[in-house]
Amino acid sequence: MILNVNDKWRVLLALLLFAVMLPSHASEWSGYSAVEYRYFQHQSLNSPAGQHDLSVVLAPEFYHQWHDGQQSLIIAPFLRVDSEDAERSHADLREARWLIAKDDWELQLGIAKVYWGVTESQHLVDVINQTDLIENTDTEDKLGQPMINLSVFQDWGTVELFVLPYFRERIFAGKEGRLRSQLVVDSDKAQYESAAKQHHLDVAVRWSHSIDDWDMALSHFYGTNREPLLQPNQSFTALIPYYEIINQTGFELQNTSDSWLWKLEVIRRETSSQTFTALTGGFEYTFYGVFASDLDVGLIGEYLFDDRNDELATPFEDDVMIGTRITWNDEQSSELLFGVIQDLDSSDAVWNIEASRRIGSRWKVSLEGRFFSVAETNSALYQIRDDDHIQLELARYF
């Protein structure tokens, strides 16, 4: 069943009322509210939106446990109201899951978020949840995914089984939004390879294990592609998302050795139209206690490869990422992450900066910057080449 905006609010309200009625002695409320400001360096080439964008966020989380901690309930709604883009003003149920935990198995039922992957620049293997693209272009934010998830723990590793009965469509920037293509994506006319559309039953399995300094995982996913193909409509006035059925096998490997952290992600994806291989691999080396202080400085290097050799399908088909992570290890948890992804076949590059610092015990200020140097017209990033922006967020945690 597809919920409209009013239905979503009814569901959120019902869940929150249910949470309030539960016994308080084993319940916890947490979360945050925030004010976010975005400043775009240039006027948009594709949108009437201006250079300033203000929004507010409310993200509470309710946690309740019983049966000596063997069962728990987590409810985590999310709300953003944006001053410019109606599509970015949205409500979502990030989590509403019941967890049953035993010594050698766990069962999750409901709506949950699952993260796979080890590399910094992109997570190729992370295929369970739909990306909340209007939240951030770094693809780290995810929509809640309805699922049944069974995890079995053995000496030879952990096996996770996923049954995903409902698909979440990707949300794109609207007519008044930034970071979008010249043609607006018309999600209301989304098309599917499967006749079941959003009700196609997706399944996945993952095995993970740790041996000494090595962490590894092997996964396979069969279901609806979280990344739609965008095709122009007959009048060439909008883009229509098309969701294929895919088989994707993924492999993750990470090695920790003293100050070195080695990372690798590889996928092999098959669709009815093509089969391709992609990988991201590299390292992070950390200098601890720089200049006899509490400062840690990490150097990051990764290589991004995709054998489709099609920059309209992915901007990272032959690129390198270099960056640094600086951690002050102070009471305010001050951190800075800076990186650039450079195309090896052209001068195109993407620059990213992320910084954060706590203020007191409940406040946190975060700064992000995304800058695009794109000249190749056949690049997937060409449409947002003038959407360089700085984002400042002030959040209060409770």
Side-chain angles (χ1 to χ4, degrees):
M1 179 178 63
I2 300 176
L3 300 178
N4 59 35
V5 174
N6 291 331
D7 290 334
K8 289 180 179 178
W9 280 112
R10 293 189 185 100
V11 171
L12 292 178
L13 180 59
L15 287 170
L16 291 176
L17 288 175
F18 172 70
V20 171
M21 294 171 61
L22 289 171
S24 61
H25 66 273
S27 303
E28 296 178 7
W29 280 97
S30 61
Y32 71 96
S33 58
V35 177
E36 178 191 284
Y37 168 71
R38 281 181 171 181
Y39 171 72
F40 291 88
Q41 186 176 352
H42 311 288
Q43 289 287 346
S44 174
L45 295 173
N46 305 317
S47 168
Q51 295 174 249
H52 307 275
D53 185 10
L54 186 67
S55 65
V56 293
V57 170
L58 179 61
E61 181 175 303
F62 173 81
Y63 174 79
H64 177 76
Q65 67 173 10
W66 66 98
H67 198 191
D68 296 327
Q70 294 184 21
Q71 298 191 51
S72 58
L73 175 70
I74 296 177
I75 301 175
F78 177 87
L79 170 68
R80 179 182 292 278
V81 179
D82 190 88
S83 64
E84 296 290 331
D85 188 2
E87 292 294 331
R88 198 162 186 253
S89 294
H90 68 298
D92 182 44
L93 194 55
R94 297 297 206 225
E95 294 184 272
R97 57 187 174 95
W98 172 30
L99 174 64
I100 304 172
K102 300 295 183 178
D103 291 338
D104 56 357
W105 62 270
E106 286 184 355
L107 178 65
Q108 289 191 94
L109 303 171
I111 298 172
K113 292 192 294 183
V114 175
Y115 292 99
W116 294 350
V118 294
T119 56
E120 183 67 42
S121 53
Q122 62 176 347
H123 298 312
L124 295 170
V125 300
D126 195 18
V127 72
I128 296 294
N129 289 76
Q130 177 62 272
T131 297
D132 192 348
L133 195 61
I134 56 174
E135 274 301 299
N136 204 313
T137 57
D138 63 4
T139 71
E140 296 287 342
D141 296 276
K142 301 292 181 177
L143 298 177
Q145 171 62 50
M147 68 174 66
I148 302 171
N149 170 215
L150 175 65
S151 301
V152 179
F153 311 107
Q154 298 293 326
D155 294 338
W156 41 264
T158 299
V159 175
E160 300 172 87
L161 303 175
F162 297 86
V163 178
L164 314 171
Y166 186 77
F167 172 73
R168 303 291 306 279
E169 293 181 353
R170 181 166 293 190
I171 306 173
F172 295 88
K175 182 179 179 180
E176 304 294 332
R178 298 291 300 253
L179 294 160
R180 71 167 178 85
S181 59
Q182 183 177 4
L183 299 180
V184 176
V185 178
D186 189 352
S187 298
D188 293 336
K189 293 183 172 60
Q191 300 177 356
Y192 291 83
E193 180 178 351
S194 169
K197 298 184 178 180
Q198 287 181 279
H199 297 279
H200 182 272
L201 189 64
D202 300 346
V203 292
V205 59
R206 183 176 185 260
W207 168 82
S208 59
H209 192 41
S210 297
I211 302 175
D212 297 328
D213 297 331
W214 296 88
D215 300 312
M216 63 198 74
L218 182 65
S219 59
H220 187 80
F221 171 88
Y222 168 74
T224 306
N225 193 355
R226 272 53 180 159
E227 303 174 8
L229 300 175
L230 298 178
Q231 305 169 333
N233 60 7
Q234 292 183 346
S235 59
F236 288 88
T237 56
L239 295 175
I240 306 300
Y242 177 69
Y243 293 95
E244 299 177 289
I245 296 298
I246 66 170
N247 274 285
Q248 176 175 305
T249 301
F251 178 67
E252 306 157 59
L253 184 66
Q254 181 170 280
N255 174 260
T256 305
S257 178
D258 296 327
S259 299
W260 290 94
L261 189 61
W262 297 92
K263 308 175 183 181
L264 175 67
E265 292 185 31
V266 183
I267 65 167
R268 179 75 169 176
R269 181 181 297 175
E270 298 179 8
T271 72
S272 58
S273 60
Q274 65 177 340
T275 299
F276 70 91
T277 301
L279 67 83
T280 303
F283 68 89
E284 181 169 352
Y285 182 85
T286 302
F287 297 92
Y288 296 100
V290 176
F291 304 124
S293 68
D294 294 328
L295 191 70
D296 296 337
V297 178
L299 303 180
I300 306 170
E302 292 183 353
Y303 175 64
L304 299 81
F305 171 78
D306 190 307
D307 68 6
R308 283 176 291 183
N309 196 29
D310 181 1
E311 290 207 5
L312 285 177
T314 173
F316 309 126
E317 92 296 348
D318 186 23
D319 300 67
V320 294
M321 180 268 191
I322 56 174
T324 182
R325 187 195 316 274
I326 302 176
T327 306
W328 276 260
N329 293 308
D330 56 357
E331 186 178 352
Q332 293 76 32
S333 301
S334 305
E335 296 179 344
L336 171 67
L337 176 64
F338 172 79
V340 57
I341 300 177
Q342 175 66 56
D343 192 310
L344 296 178
D345 299 321
S346 71
S347 60
D348 289 359
V350 179
W351 302 77
N352 297 285
I353 183 171
E354 300 178 7
S356 64
R357 179 180 174 89
R358 285 198 297 108
I359 303 174
S361 60
R362 294 189 176 272
W363 295 86
K364 182 178 180 180
V365 61
S366 303
L367 176 69
E368 293 187 9
R370 312 282 189 233
F371 307 95
F372 308 94
S373 176
V374 182
E376 297 294 323
T377 57
N378 63 341
S379 170
L381 299 175
Y382 186 74
Q383 294 288 325
I384 60 172
R385 63 192 182 279
D386 278 341
D387 281 328
D388 300 342
H389 66 278
I390 294 175
Q391 174 179 300
L392 182 65
E393 180 186 81
L394 179 63
R396 185 185 188 278
Y397 289 81
F398 52 87

